[in-house]
Amino acid sequence: AAASAAASAAAPAAEGGFQGTCKSCGVWGHRARDCPAANRAKQPNASAHANQGGASSSGAGASGEAAALMRRAIALGLGARGRGDACRGALLSLDGRAAMCEAEDRVKALGGDVTATAEVLLVREACDQKAKGAGPVVAEADRSRAVCYTVVEPCAMGAGALVRAGVGKVVYACTAAEAAAAERAG
């Protein structure tokens, strides 16, 4: 399914179809109605992916709150893209409430720091507040109930940081293959 979604994401530009930027994710070459990121966030019972044990769960977008959180993650990714970084944004939510903390990809903004991915920065923000004189944004005991909403499936480093921090679930809008196909189309 991911391969066919990736192929269809690249098809419009390759076949001389739509020649513009998606209004949902900002990637050139596909329409908002064909956007894997926006459509997955809107669909009830869309495939969501958990970061623990490779398990998956249903229901990304099953509630209005989940869809709103995914739209916010996409908006963060667009902000990163506007600065020249990859279109990656992530946020952490506890019990479906508004974002507890947010992060954008900042690899280029921080001079090529390859560890400055949205998910790694998100974990730093969630866990490192003690150093700033406050408690952590999300207490260690609550992290298993936390959900990370992110634009693209996390890389091994980002997924590892999320697992190590004890984040209970990760929901992403598109796979790495879908994102790569959309970027190639642009």
Side-chain angles (χ1 to χ4, degrees), residues 145-177:
R145 295 188 349 256
V147 179
C148 172
Y149 290 86
T150 185
V151 177
V152 178
E153 111 185 85
C155 67
M157 179 178 56
L162 291 162
V163 169
R164 183 83 170 134
V167 173
K169 183 166 59 169
V170 173
V171 180
Y172 51 86
C174 63
T175 66

PDB file of all heavy atoms in Angstrom, residues 145-177:
ATOM      1  N   ARG A 145       1.696   7.492  28.430  1.00  0.00           N
ATOM      2  CA  ARG A 145       0.385   7.916  27.924  1.00  0.00           C
ATOM      3  C   ARG A 145       0.514   9.002  26.861  1.00  0.00           C
ATOM      4  O   ARG A 145      -0.479   9.400  26.260  1.00  0.00           O
ATOM      5  CB  ARG A 145      -0.480   8.460  29.070  1.00  0.00           C
ATOM      6  CG  ARG A 145      -0.836   7.412  30.086  1.00  0.00           C
ATOM      7  CD  ARG A 145      -1.851   7.873  31.129  1.00  0.00           C
ATOM      8  NE  ARG A 145      -2.176   9.267  31.201  1.00  0.00           N
ATOM      9  CZ  ARG A 145      -1.731  10.107  32.145  1.00  0.00           C
ATOM     10  NH1 ARG A 145      -0.901   9.691  33.073  1.00  0.00           N
ATOM     11  NH2 ARG A 145      -2.115  11.364  32.142  1.00  0.00           N
ATOM     12  N   ALA A 146       1.712   9.483  26.639  1.00  0.00           N
ATOM     13  CA  ALA A 146       1.925  10.567  25.666  1.00  0.00           C
ATOM     14  C   ALA A 146       1.911  10.016  24.242  1.00  0.00           C
ATOM     15  O   ALA A 146       2.295   8.872  23.996  1.00  0.00           O
ATOM     16  CB  ALA A 146       3.254  11.262  25.936  1.00  0.00           C
ATOM     17  N   VAL A 147       1.460  10.852  23.324  1.00  0.00           N
ATOM     18  CA  VAL A 147       1.440  10.508  21.904  1.00  0.00           C
ATOM     19  C   VAL A 147       2.234  11.564  21.154  1.00  0.00           C
ATOM     20  O   VAL A 147       2.002  12.766  21.323  1.00  0.00           O
ATOM     21  CB  VAL A 147      -0.005  10.454  21.355  1.00  0.00           C
ATOM     22  CG1 VAL A 147      -0.002  10.127  19.869  1.00  0.00           C
ATOM     23  CG2 VAL A 147      -0.828   9.433  22.120  1.00  0.00           C
ATOM     24  N   CYS A 148       3.160  11.120  20.336  1.00  0.00           N
ATOM     25  CA  CYS A 148       3.919  12.015  19.464  1.00  0.00           C
ATOM     26  C   CYS A 148       3.241  12.029  18.103  1.00  0.00           C
ATOM     27  O   CYS A 148       3.058  10.982  17.488  1.00  0.00           O
ATOM     28  CB  CYS A 148       5.356  11.520  19.324  1.00  0.00           C
ATOM     29  SG  CYS A 148       6.314  12.435  18.084  1.00  0.00           S
ATOM     30  N   TYR A 149       2.840  13.200  17.643  1.00  0.00           N
ATOM     31  CA  TYR A 149       2.302  13.380  16.296  1.00  0.00           C
ATOM     32  C   TYR A 149       3.417  13.998  15.472  1.00  0.00           C
ATOM     33  O   TYR A 149       3.966  15.031  15.841  1.00  0.00           O
ATOM     34  CB  TYR A 149       1.087  14.321  16.313  1.00  0.00           C
ATOM     35  CG  TYR A 149      -0.118  13.703  16.956  1.00  0.00           C
ATOM     36  CD1 TYR A 149      -0.309  13.768  18.324  1.00  0.00           C
ATOM     37  CD2 TYR A 149      -1.066  13.035  16.188  1.00  0.00           C
ATOM     38  CE1 TYR A 149      -1.418  13.188  18.927  1.00  0.00           C
ATOM     39  CE2 TYR A 149      -2.171  12.441  16.779  1.00  0.00           C
ATOM     40  CZ  TYR A 149      -2.337  12.537  18.151  1.00  0.00           C
ATOM     41  OH  TYR A 149      -3.433  11.954  18.734  1.00  0.00           O
ATOM     42  N   THR A 150       3.762  13.343  14.374  1.00  0.00           N
ATOM     43  CA  THR A 150       4.858  13.817  13.546  1.00  0.00           C
ATOM     44  C   THR A 150       4.498  13.671  12.068  1.00  0.00           C
ATOM     45  O   THR A 150       3.674  12.844  11.696  1.00  0.00           O
ATOM     46  CB  THR A 150       6.168  13.074  13.897  1.00  0.00           C
ATOM     47  OG1 THR A 150       7.249  13.634  13.171  1.00  0.00           O
ATOM     48  CG2 THR A 150       6.073  11.585  13.634  1.00  0.00           C
ATOM     49  N   VAL A 151       5.107  14.505  11.235  1.00  0.00           N
ATOM     50  CA  VAL A 151       4.753  14.556   9.820  1.00  0.00           C
ATOM     51  C   VAL A 151       5.173  13.278   9.095  1.00  0.00           C
ATOM     52  O   VAL A 151       4.386  12.674   8.379  1.00  0.00           O
ATOM     53  CB  VAL A 151       5.371  15.799   9.144  1.00  0.00           C
ATOM     54  CG1 VAL A 151       5.067  15.812   7.655  1.00  0.00           C
ATOM     55  CG2 VAL A 151       4.861  17.072   9.802  1.00  0.00           C
ATOM     56  N   VAL A 152       6.403  12.881   9.281  1.00  0.00           N
ATOM     57  CA  VAL A 152       6.958  11.731   8.562  1.00  0.00           C
ATOM     58  C   VAL A 152       7.411  10.699   9.589  1.00  0.00           C
ATOM     59  O   VAL A 152       7.886  11.049  10.675  1.00  0.00           O
ATOM     60  CB  VAL A 152       8.149  12.151   7.676  1.00  0.00           C
ATOM     61  CG1 VAL A 152       8.762  10.960   6.956  1.00  0.00           C
ATOM     62  CG2 VAL A 152       7.718  13.205   6.669  1.00  0.00           C
ATOM     63  N   GLU A 153       7.294   9.450   9.239  1.00  0.00           N
ATOM     64  CA  GLU A 153       7.724   8.381  10.139  1.00  0.00           C
ATOM     65  C   GLU A 153       9.147   8.683  10.612  1.00  0.00           C
ATOM     66  O   GLU A 153      10.020   9.040   9.812  1.00  0.00           O
ATOM     67  CB  GLU A 153       7.600   7.039   9.425  1.00  0.00           C
ATOM     68  CG  GLU A 153       8.834   6.329   9.066  1.00  0.00           C
ATOM     69  CD  GLU A 153       8.595   5.067   8.257  1.00  0.00           C
ATOM     70  OE1 GLU A 153       8.470   5.166   7.035  1.00  0.00           O
ATOM     71  OE2 GLU A 153       8.563   3.988   8.863  1.00  0.00           O
ATOM     72  N   PRO A 154       9.385   8.602  11.918  1.00  0.00           N
ATOM     73  CA  PRO A 154      10.710   8.954  12.444  1.00  0.00           C
ATOM     74  C   PRO A 154      11.810   8.042  11.920  1.00  0.00           C
ATOM     75  O   PRO A 154      11.592   6.859  11.680  1.00  0.00           O
ATOM     76  CB  PRO A 154      10.553   8.775  13.955  1.00  0.00           C
ATOM     77  CG  PRO A 154       9.093   8.825  14.211  1.00  0.00           C
ATOM     78  CD  PRO A 154       8.442   8.268  12.973  1.00  0.00           C
ATOM     79  N   CYS A 155      12.985   8.628  11.768  1.00  0.00           N
ATOM     80  CA  CYS A 155      14.167   7.841  11.414  1.00  0.00           C
ATOM     81  C   CYS A 155      14.556   7.001  12.633  1.00  0.00           C
ATOM     82  O   CYS A 155      13.981   7.143  13.716  1.00  0.00           O
ATOM     83  CB  CYS A 155      15.313   8.770  11.018  1.00  0.00           C
ATOM     84  SG  CYS A 155      15.943   9.782  12.385  1.00  0.00           S
ATOM     85  N   ALA A 156      15.541   6.165  12.476  1.00  0.00           N
ATOM     86  CA  ALA A 156      15.974   5.292  13.576  1.00  0.00           C
ATOM     87  C   ALA A 156      16.400   6.102  14.795  1.00  0.00           C
ATOM     88  O   ALA A 156      16.079   5.745  15.932  1.00  0.00           O
ATOM     89  CB  ALA A 156      17.110   4.388  13.108  1.00  0.00           C
ATOM     90  N   MET A 157      17.084   7.207  14.571  1.00  0.00           N
ATOM     91  CA  MET A 157      17.548   8.033  15.684  1.00  0.00           C
ATOM     92  C   MET A 157      16.364   8.654  16.431  1.00  0.00           C
ATOM     93  O   MET A 157      16.296   8.619  17.661  1.00  0.00           O
ATOM     94  CB  MET A 157      18.487   9.128  15.169  1.00  0.00           C
ATOM     95  CG  MET A 157      19.007  10.060  16.231  1.00  0.00           C
ATOM     96  SD  MET A 157      20.162  11.290  15.579  1.00  0.00           S
ATOM     97  CE  MET A 157      19.181  12.069  14.311  1.00  0.00           C
ATOM     98  N   GLY A 158      15.411   9.228  15.681  1.00  0.00           N
ATOM     99  CA  GLY A 158      14.245   9.838  16.309  1.00  0.00           C
ATOM    100  C   GLY A 158      13.375   8.820  17.017  1.00  0.00           C
ATOM    101  O   GLY A 158      12.898   9.053  18.137  1.00  0.00           O
ATOM    102  N   ALA A 159      13.151   7.675  16.377  1.00  0.00           N
ATOM    103  CA  ALA A 159      12.361   6.619  16.994  1.00  0.00           C
ATOM    104  C   ALA A 159      13.044   6.113  18.262  1.00  0.00           C
ATOM    105  O   ALA A 159      12.389   5.881  19.281  1.00  0.00           O
ATOM    106  CB  ALA A 159      12.145   5.468  16.009  1.00  0.00           C
ATOM    107  N   GLY A 160      14.357   5.976  18.200  1.00  0.00           N
ATOM    108  CA  GLY A 160      15.100   5.535  19.382  1.00  0.00           C
ATOM    109  C   GLY A 160      14.984   6.516  20.533  1.00  0.00           C
ATOM    110  O   GLY A 160      14.815   6.119  21.688  1.00  0.00           O
ATOM    111  N   ALA A 161      15.042   7.799  20.228  1.00  0.00           N
ATOM    112  CA  ALA A 161      14.891   8.816  21.276  1.00  0.00           C
ATOM    113  C   ALA A 161      13.500   8.747  21.901  1.00  0.00           C
ATOM    114  O   ALA A 161      13.351   8.852  23.125  1.00  0.00           O
ATOM    115  CB  ALA A 161      15.156  10.205  20.697  1.00  0.00           C
ATOM    116  N   LEU A 162      12.487   8.562  21.067  1.00  0.00           N
ATOM    117  CA  LEU A 162      11.114   8.465  21.573  1.00  0.00           C
ATOM    118  C   LEU A 162      10.927   7.231  22.447  1.00  0.00           C
ATOM    119  O   LEU A 162      10.308   7.294  23.509  1.00  0.00           O
ATOM    120  CB  LEU A 162      10.123   8.472  20.412  1.00  0.00           C
ATOM    121  CG  LEU A 162      10.013   9.806  19.664  1.00  0.00           C
ATOM    122  CD1 LEU A 162       9.363   9.610  18.311  1.00  0.00           C
ATOM    123  CD2 LEU A 162       9.257  10.827  20.500  1.00  0.00           C
ATOM    124  N   VAL A 163      11.482   6.096  22.019  1.00  0.00           N
ATOM    125  CA  VAL A 163      11.389   4.864  22.805  1.00  0.00           C
ATOM    126  C   VAL A 163      12.138   5.044  24.122  1.00  0.00           C
ATOM    127  O   VAL A 163      11.626   4.721  25.196  1.00  0.00           O
ATOM    128  CB  VAL A 163      11.941   3.656  22.015  1.00  0.00           C
ATOM    129  CG1 VAL A 163      12.096   2.438  22.917  1.00  0.00           C
ATOM    130  CG2 VAL A 163      11.020   3.327  20.860  1.00  0.00           C
ATOM    131  N   ARG A 164      13.347   5.565  24.046  1.00  0.00           N
ATOM    132  CA  ARG A 164      14.173   5.752  25.249  1.00  0.00           C
ATOM    133  C   ARG A 164      13.505   6.699  26.246  1.00  0.00           C
ATOM    134  O   ARG A 164      13.603   6.504  27.458  1.00  0.00           O
ATOM    135  CB  ARG A 164      15.545   6.295  24.831  1.00  0.00           C
ATOM    136  CG  ARG A 164      16.496   6.469  25.936  1.00  0.00           C
ATOM    137  CD  ARG A 164      17.180   5.166  26.264  1.00  0.00           C
ATOM    138  NE  ARG A 164      18.262   5.448  27.185  1.00  0.00           N
ATOM    139  CZ  ARG A 164      18.490   4.737  28.262  1.00  0.00           C
ATOM    140  NH1 ARG A 164      17.754   3.687  28.525  1.00  0.00           N
ATOM    141  NH2 ARG A 164      19.467   5.041  29.058  1.00  0.00           N
ATOM    142  N   ALA A 165      12.786   7.707  25.750  1.00  0.00           N
ATOM    143  CA  ALA A 165      12.078   8.650  26.624  1.00  0.00           C
ATOM    144  C   ALA A 165      10.810   8.033  27.200  1.00  0.00           C
ATOM    145  O   ALA A 165      10.227   8.576  28.137  1.00  0.00           O
ATOM    146  CB  ALA A 165      11.740   9.920  25.854  1.00  0.00           C
ATOM    147  N   GLY A 166      10.366   6.920  26.631  1.00  0.00           N
ATOM    148  CA  GLY A 166       9.189   6.241  27.138  1.00  0.00           C
ATOM    149  C   GLY A 166       7.873   6.739  26.566  1.00  0.00           C
ATOM    150  O   GLY A 166       6.816   6.488  27.124  1.00  0.00           O
ATOM    151  N   VAL A 167       7.932   7.433  25.424  1.00  0.00           N
ATOM    152  CA  VAL A 167       6.711   7.921  24.783  1.00  0.00           C
ATOM    153  C   VAL A 167       5.889   6.712  24.342  1.00  0.00           C
ATOM    154  O   VAL A 167       6.404   5.799  23.696  1.00  0.00           O
ATOM    155  CB  VAL A 167       7.047   8.844  23.589  1.00  0.00           C
ATOM    156  CG1 VAL A 167       5.800   9.222  22.813  1.00  0.00           C
ATOM    157  CG2 VAL A 167       7.774  10.090  24.088  1.00  0.00           C
ATOM    158  N   GLY A 168       4.619   6.720  24.681  1.00  0.00           N
ATOM    159  CA  GLY A 168       3.768   5.554  24.481  1.00  0.00           C
ATOM    160  C   GLY A 168       3.414   5.243  23.048  1.00  0.00           C
ATOM    161  O   GLY A 168       3.293   4.086  22.670  1.00  0.00           O
ATOM    162  N   LYS A 169       3.226   6.266  22.216  1.00  0.00           N
ATOM    163  CA  LYS A 169       2.791   6.005  20.838  1.00  0.00           C
ATOM    164  C   LYS A 169       3.261   7.130  19.934  1.00  0.00           C
ATOM    165  O   LYS A 169       3.354   8.281  20.344  1.00  0.00           O
ATOM    166  CB  LYS A 169       1.266   5.889  20.792  1.00  0.00           C
ATOM    167  CG  LYS A 169       0.730   5.538  19.412  1.00  0.00           C
ATOM    168  CD  LYS A 169      -0.718   5.077  19.386  1.00  0.00           C
ATOM    169  CE  LYS A 169      -1.712   6.029  19.920  1.00  0.00           C
ATOM    170  NZ  LYS A 169      -3.113   5.649  19.653  1.00  0.00           N
ATOM    171  N   VAL A 170       3.527   6.777  18.693  1.00  0.00           N
ATOM    172  CA  VAL A 170       3.880   7.742  17.656  1.00  0.00           C
ATOM    173  C   VAL A 170       2.872   7.602  16.529  1.00  0.00           C
ATOM    174  O   VAL A 170       2.591   6.496  16.075  1.00  0.00           O
ATOM    175  CB  VAL A 170       5.308   7.488  17.106  1.00  0.00           C
ATOM    176  CG1 VAL A 170       5.601   8.371  15.910  1.00  0.00           C
ATOM    177  CG2 VAL A 170       6.338   7.688  18.196  1.00  0.00           C
ATOM    178  N   VAL A 171       2.326   8.726  16.083  1.00  0.00           N
ATOM    179  CA  VAL A 171       1.406   8.747  14.957  1.00  0.00           C
ATOM    180  C   VAL A 171       2.034   9.635  13.903  1.00  0.00           C
ATOM    181  O   VAL A 171       2.407  10.766  14.194  1.00  0.00           O
ATOM    182  CB  VAL A 171       0.020   9.298  15.361  1.00  0.00           C
ATOM    183  CG1 VAL A 171      -0.919   9.310  14.169  1.00  0.00           C
ATOM    184  CG2 VAL A 171      -0.576   8.492  16.496  1.00  0.00           C
ATOM    185  N   TYR A 172       2.194   9.096  12.691  1.00  0.00           N
ATOM    186  CA  TYR A 172       2.782   9.921  11.641  1.00  0.00           C
ATOM    187  C   TYR A 172       1.863   9.986  10.441  1.00  0.00           C
ATOM    188  O   TYR A 172       1.044   9.118  10.210  1.00  0.00           O
ATOM    189  CB  TYR A 172       4.186   9.458  11.255  1.00  0.00           C
ATOM    190  CG  TYR A 172       4.364   8.001  10.932  1.00  0.00           C
ATOM    191  CD1 TYR A 172       4.133   7.524   9.652  1.00  0.00           C
ATOM    192  CD2 TYR A 172       4.796   7.115  11.893  1.00  0.00           C
ATOM    193  CE1 TYR A 172       4.334   6.191   9.348  1.00  0.00           C
ATOM    194  CE2 TYR A 172       5.000   5.780  11.598  1.00  0.00           C
ATOM    195  CZ  TYR A 172       4.764   5.328  10.323  1.00  0.00           C
ATOM    196  OH  TYR A 172       4.955   4.010  10.019  1.00  0.00           O
ATOM    197  N   ALA A 173       2.009  11.078   9.685  1.00  0.00           N
ATOM    198  CA  ALA A 173       1.117  11.348   8.561  1.00  0.00           C
ATOM    199  C   ALA A 173       1.498  10.564   7.319  1.00  0.00           C
ATOM    200  O   ALA A 173       0.629  10.179   6.545  1.00  0.00           O
ATOM    201  CB  ALA A 173       1.094  12.840   8.247  1.00  0.00           C
ATOM    202  N   CYS A 174       2.773  10.347   7.094  1.00  0.00           N
ATOM    203  CA  CYS A 174       3.183   9.582   5.919  1.00  0.00           C
ATOM    204  C   CYS A 174       4.474   8.842   6.216  1.00  0.00           C
ATOM    205  O   CYS A 174       5.226   9.204   7.105  1.00  0.00           O
ATOM    206  CB  CYS A 174       3.334  10.492   4.693  1.00  0.00           C
ATOM    207  SG  CYS A 174       4.605  11.752   4.802  1.00  0.00           S
ATOM    208  N   THR A 175       4.692   7.794   5.446  1.00  0.00           N
ATOM    209  CA  THR A 175       5.916   7.008   5.604  1.00  0.00           C
ATOM    210  C   THR A 175       7.089   7.762   4.993  1.00  0.00           C
ATOM    211  O   THR A 175       6.910   8.705   4.217  1.00  0.00           O
ATOM    212  CB  THR A 175       5.789   5.641   4.915  1.00  0.00           C
ATOM    213  OG1 THR A 175       5.688   5.854   3.509  1.00  0.00           O
ATOM    214  CG2 THR A 175       4.599   4.852   5.435  1.00  0.00           C
ATOM    215  N   ALA A 176       8.265   7.310   5.303  1.00  0.00           N
ATOM    216  CA  ALA A 176       9.468   7.917   4.718  1.00  0.00           C
ATOM    217  C   ALA A 176       9.449   7.751   3.197  1.00  0.00           C
ATOM    218  O   ALA A 176       9.856   8.662   2.465  1.00  0.00           O
ATOM    219  CB  ALA A 176      10.715   7.299   5.321  1.00  0.00           C
ATOM    220  N   ALA A 177       8.973   6.606   2.716  1.00  0.00           N
ATOM    221  CA  ALA A 177       8.914   6.372   1.262  1.00  0.00           C
ATOM    222  C   ALA A 177       7.946   7.350   0.592  1.00  0.00           C
ATOM    223  O   ALA A 177       8.226   7.891  -0.481  1.00  0.00           O
ATOM    224  CB  ALA A 177       8.499   4.932   0.969  1.00  0.00           C
TER     225      ALA A 177
END
